[in-house]
Amino acid sequence: MTVSLRLFISEIKRLYTYKILTISLAISALWMVILYGIGEANAQSFVGLFIALDASVMSILMLGASLFFEREENTLKPLLVTPVSTGQIIGVKVASSIYVALQSAVLVSLFVRLVMGIPVDFMSLILLVMLIALVHSMIGFYLAMKATDFSGLLVNMIIYSFTFAMPSLMVTLGLISGWAEEIVWLSPIGDGLFYMQVVFQTNGADAIDPVFFILSIIYLLFISTVLYVGYIKPNYATAAVKE
Amino acid sequence: MAVFEVQGLSYQYQKSHTQAVNQVDFKIEKGEIFGLLGPSGAGKSTTQKILTKLLEHYQGSVIYNDQELRTYGADFYEKIGVGFELPVHFNKLSGLENMQFFQNLYKTHVPIEPLLEQVGLLADKDKRVGEYSKGMKMRLNFVRALLNDPDFLFLDEVTNGLDPKNAKIIKDMILAFKAAGGTVLLTTHLMGDVEALCDRVAFIKNGAIIESDTPKALKIKYGERIVDVEYKTDKGLTKQTFDLSDVGKNDAFIQLLKTADIQTIHSGETSLEDIFILITGDTYDG
């Protein structure tokens, strides 16, 4: 077993102990209750919204909060003096965040498929939730490393969520249109909502341009790479060592 | 044989106008305990962070086992143990779970429970670390440094927050580590630890090493070559001072030893605390 895999397994066990996975499961259960309550017709429109928001906003919060609490406990520094590279440490934290997002997305999707009969493209769901969680974990890293304290992280996160989630939600719900529709792809949250149309085959899924679809994936991968190479990896050790 | 050979080491933090470490030279020989001493902010921790590869982009040369430190990858840590100044544990995991979390990352493992037993934590191994006292957390810090059977230990204020009994247990374990061939860099401002452990020491001030030698040699160098004799008389205790150089031929001294009711005899060898204050110009708060 590689050192990255061993660290990943330890990290997942730790997330269970810290009840982060339990909280995620509780939120999934809440989505299921709401979806069941609003009925099949509405649930097909809203399930994608819930999963996209879960994979994006929750990934930022989980990674940011985890990073802050670990800094408080001084547990970031000792990992840097083990035979695990900085890239592996960051990779495992992102992988854990993706794991949490996937767990929630798959459970909610299984529920709507098995209980409510809503069609789900599971292969697309897994790949696209992984992508949404990846880019938002990187954004979470960036926001947490930029913030000086936990309330600073929350403020950064709220600013990000309002800036990128609100316009995307309004476009998705048809509250605004026109030029806003043309630029909504610039929002990673907007891309997440757009992908969920494919996964749950909601209205407009047939009209999706495959070129635009692929370009948006490249765009999110590009953002993740720029954040990782340009900021997170070069500054991680300094941020971790800071007391 | 030198395990570490440091030459012209300098480091400046971003946003700082002064060098935290400035042209530092020293060697750490295999099998010795080397103490890096100095007041807070002198550059001890920065030097240790450079040697543990927590800080990069330093100037100068740091050779570890005949190879420049910069060229080592993450495998450098396979045979290195680091004991931090502050507790570094997951508070919601038990002591044993914490140790398993970190040990899992190394190729070489030593049994955890005997180590916990040695530092008196075996009975509390399943208790959450958040419920540990500071002293217990510091002992767990020390165990964490030994999990991978290291050849070299970096220890930063290792007895910080420990009562004398537990501090002695840790010091005895460090001496046992040395006796088994291990090498130690001890960063501290506690001169009691230095007296008990260090083969050689270097005093650091304002980022530069200003004195380095064995503790014994430093005590002689900074001490006075005198002998103080205290003896009882009708008026109470009387003290007389003799020159150490010819004390064996000094009739007054010999006569005093033969006839007086001697209470104490002390050489003028100074203490490391006094040397610390003298060299660093700092108050000693150990």
Side-chain angles (χ1 to χ4, degrees):
Chain A
M1 203 191 292
T2 64
V3 70
S4 296
L5 189 56
R6 290 199 299 269
L7 181 59
F8 176 72
I9 292 167
S10 299
E11 186 73 4
I12 294 297
K13 281 185 193 164
R14 194 177 70 79
L15 292 179
Y16 268 112
T17 311
Y18 274 66
K19 307 239 183 316
I20 290 172
L21 290 181
T22 315
I23 292 167
S24 168
L25 285 174
I27 293 171
S28 304
L30 179 69
W31 295 149
M32 289 182 216
V33 170
I34 293 172
L35 290 167
Y36 191 74
I38 60 177
E40 187 194 325
N42 288 323
Q44 188 164 6
S45 304
F46 279 93
V47 62
L49 174 73
F50 290 165
I51 290 178
L53 287 179
D54 206 74
S56 50
V57 178
M58 284 303 288
S59 294
I60 296 178
L61 185 61
M62 197 202 104
L63 225 146
S66 163
L67 217 58
F68 256 100
F69 290 130
E70 283 194 62
R71 195 190 278 174
E72 230 167 59
E73 290 182 326
N74 274 319
T75 49
L76 294 174
K77 201 159 65 172
L79 261 186
L80 292 174
V81 294
T82 64
V84 188
S85 68
T86 309
Q88 286 170 314
I89 296 170
I90 297 167
V92 163
K93 291 204 175 296
V94 171
S96 308
S97 177
I98 291 173
Y99 174 89
V100 176
L102 269 180
Q103 174 190 262
S104 175
V106 169
L107 280 177
V108 174
S109 302
L110 275 173
F111 174 80
V112 296
R113 177 75 192 91
L114 297 175
V115 177
M116 306 182 78
I118 294 171
V120 182
D121 178 348
F122 277 97
M123 185 55 79
S124 302
L125 173 84
I126 289 168
L127 293 175
L128 294 171
V129 165
M130 284 173 75
L131 179 63
I132 301 166
L134 167 74
V135 68
H136 285 93
S137 299
M138 292 299 181
I139 292 168
F141 252 118
Y142 178 78
L143 296 180
M145 287 167 71
K146 279 283 183 190
T148 49
D149 52 30
F150 190 65
S151 51
L153 166 71
L154 289 178
V155 169
N156 287 349
M157 205 189 82
I158 290 166
I159 291 170
Y160 170 82
S161 300
F162 267 93
T163 310
F164 290 98
M166 289 313 283
S168 311
L169 276 172
M170 290 168 90
V171 168
T172 305
L173 298 174
L175 298 174
I176 53 171
S177 56
W179 63 271
E181 285 179 292
E182 303 299 319
I183 58 159
V184 76
W185 63 272
L186 287 170
S187 156
I189 296 177
D191 289 320
L193 292 168
F194 160 68
Y195 294 151
M196 289 305 117
Q197 290 181 350
V198 176
V199 171
F200 295 100
Q201 296 160 37
T202 46
N203 293 341
D206 296 340
I208 287 169
D209 180 354
V211 175
F212 175 69
F213 183 74
I214 290 166
L215 282 177
S216 74
I217 290 174
I218 294 170
Y219 170 67
L220 293 191
L221 289 173
F222 175 74
I223 292 177
S224 305
T225 310
V226 166
L227 286 173
Y228 175 73
V229 176
Y231 187 80
I232 299 164
K233 186 155 190 294
N235 293 299
Y236 180 81
T238 311
V241 169
K242 208 185 283 174
E243 286 166 0
Chain B
M1 179 194 143
V3 181
F4 268 106
E5 192 166 351
V6 176
Q7 281 189 325
L9 179 66
S10 297
Y11 188 85
Q12 187 167 348
Y13 286 100
Q14 277 181 349
K15 297 176 185 170
S16 169
H17 300 295
T18 55
Q19 299 265 359
V21 175
N22 190 9
Q23 291 294 320
V24 162
D25 299 329
F26 63 90
K27 277 183 189 179
I28 304 174
E29 301 291 338
K30 185 171 169 52
E32 77 170 341
I33 301 177
F34 184 83
L36 200 53
L37 321 175
S40 301
K44 308 186 297 279
S45 294
T46 303
T47 305
Q48 176 155 322
K49 280 177 186 165
I50 293 168
L51 267 55
T52 51
K53 286 173 69 66
L54 283 175
L55 292 177
E56 294 178 332
H57 312 301
Y58 57 85
Q59 282 91 52
S61 156
V62 180
I63 306 293
Y64 172 68
N65 283 337
D66 301 324
Q67 196 181 320
E68 175 59 47
L69 191 65
R70 289 184 183 94
T71 64
Y72 281 92
D75 60 331
F76 165 74
Y77 299 108
E78 285 290 357
K79 297 304 275 180
I80 292 288
V82 183
F84 291 99
E85 182 183 4
L86 295 170
V88 286
H89 315 293
F90 297 109
N91 284 330
K92 290 189 179 176
L93 300 188
S94 71
L96 184 62
E97 285 169 338
N98 263 282
M99 296 303 99
Q100 287 165 338
F101 182 96
F102 286 104
Q103 191 178 58
N104 219 6
L105 308 174
Y106 295 95
K107 286 178 187 157
T108 312
H109 297 171
V110 292
I112 297 170
E113 296 200 355
L115 285 175
L116 291 174
E117 188 172 17
Q118 272 184 284
V119 300
L121 289 177
L122 190 60
D124 299 300
K125 71 182 167 74
D126 297 319
K127 200 190 266 185
R128 282 184 175 193
V129 168
E131 296 168 32
Y132 279 22
S133 67
K134 190 189 175 193
M136 291 165 85
K137 287 178 183 173
M138 288 308 292
R139 282 181 274 156
L140 198 61
N141 257 12
F142 184 66
V143 170
R144 207 204 66 82
L146 297 172
L147 289 174
N148 54 323
D149 192 20
D151 293 332
F152 196 104
L153 272 180
F154 291 92
L155 300 174
D156 193 0
E157 307 288 0
V158 68
T159 60
N160 195 8
L162 295 184
D163 59 60
K165 183 187 156 207
N166 284 310
K168 182 165 184 342
I169 291 170
I170 299 295
K171 284 188 260 190
D172 287 345
M173 286 176 76
I174 296 169
L175 290 172
F177 175 78
K178 180 197 162 187
T183 311
V184 181
L185 172 63
L186 181 73
T187 311
T188 186
H189 68 285
L190 298 176
M191 295 304 118
D193 288 0
V194 176
E195 296 259 15
L197 298 170
C198 291
D199 298 302
R200 285 190 310 124
V201 295
F203 283 91
I204 190 162
K205 184 187 178 187
N206 297 333
I209 288 183
I210 48 174
E211 183 66 276
S212 180
D213 212 327
T214 64
K216 187 78 192 166
L218 288 172
K219 283 184 186 177
I220 293 169
K221 179 178 174 183
Y222 288 94
E224 286 182 89
R225 290 189 53 75
I226 54 168
V227 180
D228 286 328
V229 181
E230 277 186 313
Y231 55 96
K232 268 188 183 170
T233 63
D234 298 339
K235 294 172 191 169
L237 273 182
T238 303
K239 186 168 119 180
Q240 214 174 328
T241 301
F242 299 91
D243 186 346
L244 186 64
S245 326
D246 60 353
V247 74
K249 296 172 193 162
N250 188 320
D251 292 336
F253 176 76
I254 293 165
Q255 190 61 28
L256 196 65
L257 290 183
K258 282 180 182 171
T259 58
D261 183 3
I262 308 286
Q263 297 299 303
T264 65
I265 301 179
H266 290 291
S267 72
E269 181 184 286
T270 189
S271 67
L272 280 175
E273 282 89 342
D274 289 336
I275 298 171
F276 182 97
I277 294 163
L278 185 72
I279 292 179
T280 65
D282 204 71
T283 51
Y284 177 69
D285 57 359

